[in-house]
């Protein structure tokens, strides 16, 4: 029969067995722990626990100052004084007075009437009609078989027309002068000379043409200055 062990287990007051664990890998070296604690302590900055006086502390850069606040308050008060209080009472649009220069119902009615009149005239293409009256005929200034240098023709009244043309047919290229009047034929002024030119067809007659459109004239007449023996002068006018 084997012999029983004489070593009894350790039991605490609660009746639990106490176990003593021993391992060299769990041992803590006091010198190593002290070095770590010292390193940690070196990284901690001491807190300044002295009293802070707010009223005398320097403002950080860019902070608002009391003087600037006072200036801003002054500006705001000035702006407030320039603002007119809004009238929040009820506005009756139908009875409110129109501002100066506003369109009125009467003017709109007049405009609508004019537009209706215009519209009625545009329902079909606008017809434009006019009559043109030509006054004068060939040879009504002079038509002579022989001409003496320095002779004037009888004057022609063109005061009622805005467009007139003078034509000359001659058997010579000698100049013919055009004389005009602006006072009902009382006095005449030389307007210029006309030089009949032979046409390109090689014919024997010479021609000249002059327009008087828009000129302020009352009468015209011709003066022969050359040696032509046959000259026909004509004046054609249109209102």
């Amino acid at each position: 029969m084997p012999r029983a062990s004489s070593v009894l287990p350790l039991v605490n007051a609660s009746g639990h067995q106490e176990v003593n664990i021993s391992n060299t890998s769990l041992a803590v070296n006091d010198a190593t722990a002290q070095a770590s604690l010292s390193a940690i302590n070196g990284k901690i900055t001491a807190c300044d626990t002295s009293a802070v006086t707010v009223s005398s502390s320097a403002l950080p850069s860019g902070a608002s100052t009391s003087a600037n606040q006072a200036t801003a308050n002054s500006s705001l008060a000035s702006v407030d004084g320039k603002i007119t209080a809004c009238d929040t009472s009820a506005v009756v649009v139908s009875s409110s007075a129109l501002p100066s220069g506003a369109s009125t119902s009467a003017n709109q009615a007049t405009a609508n009437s004019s537009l209706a009149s215009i519209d009625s005239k545009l329902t079909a293409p606008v017809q434009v009609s006019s009559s043109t009256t030509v006054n004068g005929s060939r040879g009504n200034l002079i038509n002579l078989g022989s001409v003496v240098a320095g002779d004037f023709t009888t004057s022609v009244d063109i005061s009622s027309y805005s467009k007139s043309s003078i034509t000359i047919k001659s058997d010579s290229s000698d100049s013919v002068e055009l004389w005009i009047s602006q006072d009902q034929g009382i006095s005449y002024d030389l307007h210029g000379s006309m030089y009949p030119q032979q046409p390109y067809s090689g014919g024997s007659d010479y021609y000249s043409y002059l327009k008087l459109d828009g000129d302020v004239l009352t009468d015209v007449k011709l003066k022969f200055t050359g040696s032509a023996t046959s000259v026909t002068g004509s004046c054609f006018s249109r209102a």
Side-chain angles (χ1 to χ4, degrees):
M1 179 174 180
R3 187 177 179 180
S5 174
S6 61
V7 179
L8 297 177
L10 294 177
V11 178
N12 59 21
S14 300
H16 298 128
Q17 184 178 353
E18 294 183 356
V19 179
N20 184 21
I21 299 175
S22 177
N23 192 319
T24 58
S25 62
L26 297 177
V28 177
N29 188 302
D30 288 342
T32 301
Q34 291 297 329
S36 298
L37 290 173
S38 177
I40 293 172
N41 182 64
K43 295 177 172 65
I44 297 174
T45 302
C47 178
D48 184 1
T49 59
S50 60
V52 177
T53 305
V54 175
S55 61
S56 61
S57 296
L59 291 172
S61 176
S64 175
T65 66
S66 176
N68 284 340
Q69 288 176 328
T71 301
N73 288 340
S74 176
S75 297
L76 289 172
S78 176
V79 171
D80 181 64
K82 295 178 174 65
I83 297 176
T84 303
C86 179
D87 183 0
T88 58
S89 60
V91 177
V92 181
V93 176
S94 60
S95 61
S96 297
L98 290 173
S100 177
S103 174
T104 65
S105 176
N107 283 338
Q108 289 176 328
T110 301
N112 288 339
S113 176
S114 298
L115 289 172
S117 177
I118 293 172
D119 182 63
S120 66
K121 294 178 176 66
L122 297 177
T123 54
V126 179
Q127 301 295 325
V128 178
S129 61
S130 63
S131 58
T132 301
T133 302
V134 176
N135 178 64
S137 61
R138 184 175 296 280
N140 69 341
L141 270 179
I142 190 170
N143 188 3
L144 301 176
S146 62
V147 177
V148 178
D151 280 353
F152 278 94
T153 67
T154 303
S155 64
V156 176
D157 182 0
I158 61 171
S159 59
S160 300
Y161 306 100
S162 62
K163 298 179 181 295
S164 297
S165 299
I166 304 295
T167 63
I168 295 175
K169 176 183 177 182
S170 174
D171 61 3
S172 170
S173 62
D174 293 334
S175 67
V176 178
E177 294 178 353
L178 174 64
W179 289 71
I180 60 174
S181 175
Q182 297 175 326
D183 54 7
Q184 299 297 323
I186 296 174
S187 61
Y188 283 87
D189 297 310
L190 175 63
H191 185 277
S193 298
M194 304 170 64
Y195 294 87
Q197 301 295 312
Q198 192 169 17
Y200 291 112
S201 61
S204 59
D205 292 323
Y206 296 79
Y207 297 88
S208 184
Y209 174 74
L210 177 66
K211 294 176 64 176
L212 300 174
D213 292 357
D215 290 352
V216 183
L217 305 175
T218 61
D219 299 86
V220 296
K221 63 181 179 180
L222 298 178
K223 178 182 180 181
F224 299 100
T225 60
S227 58
T229 57
S230 177
V231 178
T232 300
S234 303
C235 178
F236 299 92
S237 300
R238 184 177 68 183

